Amino acid sequence: MKKQTGEDIMRAPDQSARASGILREHWREGRKLAALPPDLRPRDRIEGYAIQAEIETQSDQPLFGWKIAATSEAGQRHINVAGPMAGRILAETVLPVGSTAAMAGNAMRVAEPEFAFRLGENLLPRPTPYDVGEVLAAVETLHPAIEIPDSRFADFVGAGEAQLIADNACAHLFVLGAPATADWRSRDLIEERPRIRLRGETFVGHGRNVLGDPLIALVWLVNELRQLGITARAGQVITTGTCHPPLPIASGDAMEADFGDLGQVAIRFE
């Protein structure tokens, strides 16, 4: 019989908690690290998600929702990964529209306009994937949003997929606009072109940048959670990734993302 090695044995739960604690401490203090210690470093996506899950135990509020990192080719190049990753949006990281986001400790220094959806029904784990129709039926509202990502790793480009998932898929700060009052369900979100104003310039996003369709990204997230045995819960918000290449920001900037009759959202940076 082959002798078991450390590589054959699943990491103990306390290792996930210890790794998450290190990342959380660096986020709280605005510090960066080169990498997790070798004995705590995730070896694959599953171990990365196990570390990420511990972040919920350190929050005293219900989980606000979920984000998807790297849904566009530009976003994937930005952090050097091959595909999307799920992350948790903690309630304490959500900022009011029009407020000011702190830049201290933020190394990425980009902001991303996004389509976000609030669920009205639970989507439970199950053996078979959800399709677009099933997920849309569970959505209550559509919102314009801005995500301000960052990483706890000094070299987030070289950190690798598993560590970035452990790092909550680069979640940092999030701004959620009011729910759209227009009939967004009858629209082709692929062709929506939100206008982003920043430093006197106007940039135009495109719905097709989000995994080809924001609805496809939404379904991807639900099915990623399904495979992890996690319920996407009623009331939670799912933001689907940037519809424009990440836009560099600096202290003193203000960004407004105008999604037309789907709504507007704005934030300042200091």
Side-chain angles (χ1 to χ4, degrees), residues 40-60:
L40 302 181
R41 200 171 302 161
R43 297 166 294 190
D44 53 30
R45 290 175 69 96
I46 295 298
E47 290 190 353
Y49 279 126
I51 293 169
Q52 184 191 122
E54 292 290 334
I55 197 172
E56 279 191 67
T57 69
Q58 301 174 41
S59 176
D60 60 0

Side-chain angles (χ1 to χ4, degrees), residues 1 10 14-15 18 34 51 54 69 80 95 99 129 137 161 199-201 211 215 223 228 237 242 262 265:
M1 179 182 294
M10 285 294 291
D14 71 306
Q15 290 177 297
R18 287 162 55 204
I51 293 169
E54 292 290 334
N80 192 30
L95 302 174
S99 64
E161 179 182 74
R199 290 187 298 276
E201 294 186 68
L211 276 185
L215 298 182
N223 281 318
L228 294 167
V237 168
T242 187
L262 298 180
V265 62

Side-chain angles (χ1 to χ4, degrees), residues 88-104:
R88 288 161 164 83
I89 303 174
L90 302 180
E92 56 263 40
T93 69
V94 180
L95 302 174
V97 173
S99 64
T100 300
M103 295 289 287

Side-chain angles (χ1 to χ4, degrees), residues 30 32 102-110 148-150 172-173 249:
K32 305 296 179 185
M103 295 289 287
N106 188 329
M108 282 190 175
R109 292 184 172 249
V110 296
I148 306 155
D150 195 24
H172 181 52
L173 300 173
I249 53 174

Side-chain angles (χ1 to χ4, degrees), residues 184-200:
W184 59 271
R185 292 179 188 272
S186 65
R187 306 266 280 271
D188 183 359
L189 297 182
I190 296 173
E191 294 305 329
E192 291 295 317
R193 296 174 182 265
R195 301 174 69 83
I196 306 101
R197 287 186 280 275
L198 179 66
R199 290 187 298 276

Side-chain angles (χ1 to χ4, degrees), residues 208-231:
R208 72 176 55 188
N209 290 334
V210 188
L211 276 185
D213 183 343
L215 298 182
I216 296 298
L218 173 66
V219 175
W220 179 90
L221 186 283
V222 170
N223 281 318
E224 184 81 342
L225 299 187
R226 175 188 63 82
Q227 294 181 92
L228 294 167
I230 298 171
T231 297

Side-chain angles (χ1 to χ4, degrees), residues 5-258:
T5 68
E7 292 299 309
D8 298 321
I9 302 171
M10 285 294 291
R11 298 276 171 91
D14 71 306
Q15 290 177 297
S16 294
R18 287 162 55 204
S20 179
I22 291 171
L23 292 167
R24 179 72 171 172
E25 180 183 356
H26 281 74
W27 183 83
R28 188 170 52 245
E29 297 179 0
R31 295 187 292 115
K32 305 296 179 185
L33 73 161
L36 286 166
D39 62 322
L40 302 181
R41 200 171 302 161
R43 297 166 294 190
D44 53 30
R45 290 175 69 96
I46 295 298
E47 290 190 353
Y49 279 126
I51 293 169
Q52 184 191 122
E54 292 290 334
I55 197 172
E56 279 191 67
T57 69
Q58 301 174 41
S59 176
D60 60 0
Q61 301 180 62
L63 186 66
F64 186 85
W66 299 87
K67 63 159 286 183
I68 314 174
T71 52
S72 69
E73 290 184 5
Q76 290 164 16
R77 288 194 299 271
H78 185 59
I79 56 176
N80 192 30
V81 296
M85 305 175 291
R88 288 161 164 83
I89 303 174
L90 302 180
E92 56 263 40
T93 69
V94 180
L95 302 174
V97 173
S99 64
T100 300
M103 295 289 287
N106 188 329
M108 282 190 175
R109 292 184 172 249
V110 296
E112 303 175 344
E114 309 197 353
F115 294 89
F117 302 84
R118 188 183 294 277
L119 296 178
E121 301 175 15
N122 291 343
L123 291 168
L124 303 171
R126 69 184 196 188
T128 57
Y130 286 95
D131 61 30
V132 173
E134 291 174 304
V135 175
L136 265 181
V139 170
E140 185 174 15
T141 49
L142 166 70
H143 303 247
I146 294 174
E147 191 199 358
I148 306 155
D150 195 24
S151 176
R152 272 43 70 180
F153 295 110
D155 179 16
F156 55 82
V157 175
E161 179 182 74
Q163 284 200 114
L164 290 177
I165 289 174
D167 187 31
N168 204 16
C170 303
H172 181 52
L173 300 173
F174 182 65
V175 189
L176 184 70
T181 56
D183 180 16
W184 59 271
R185 292 179 188 272
S186 65
R187 306 266 280 271
D188 183 359
L189 297 182
I190 296 173
E191 294 305 329
E192 291 295 317
R193 296 174 182 265
R195 301 174 69 83
I196 306 101
R197 287 186 280 275
L198 179 66
R199 290 187 298 276
E201 294 186 68
T202 299
F203 305 87
V204 182
H206 205 306
R208 72 176 55 188
N209 290 334
V210 188
L211 276 185
D213 183 343
L215 298 182
I216 296 298
L218 173 66
V219 175
W220 179 90
L221 186 283
V222 170
N223 281 318
E224 184 81 342
L225 299 187
R226 175 188 63 82
Q227 294 181 92
L228 294 167
I230 298 171
T231 297
R233 298 194 176 279
Q236 290 181 342
V237 168
I238 297 172
T239 192
T240 53
T242 187
C243 58
H244 188 282
L247 287 160
I249 53 174
S251 183
D253 285 346
M255 173 185 278
E256 179 184 331
D258 185 349

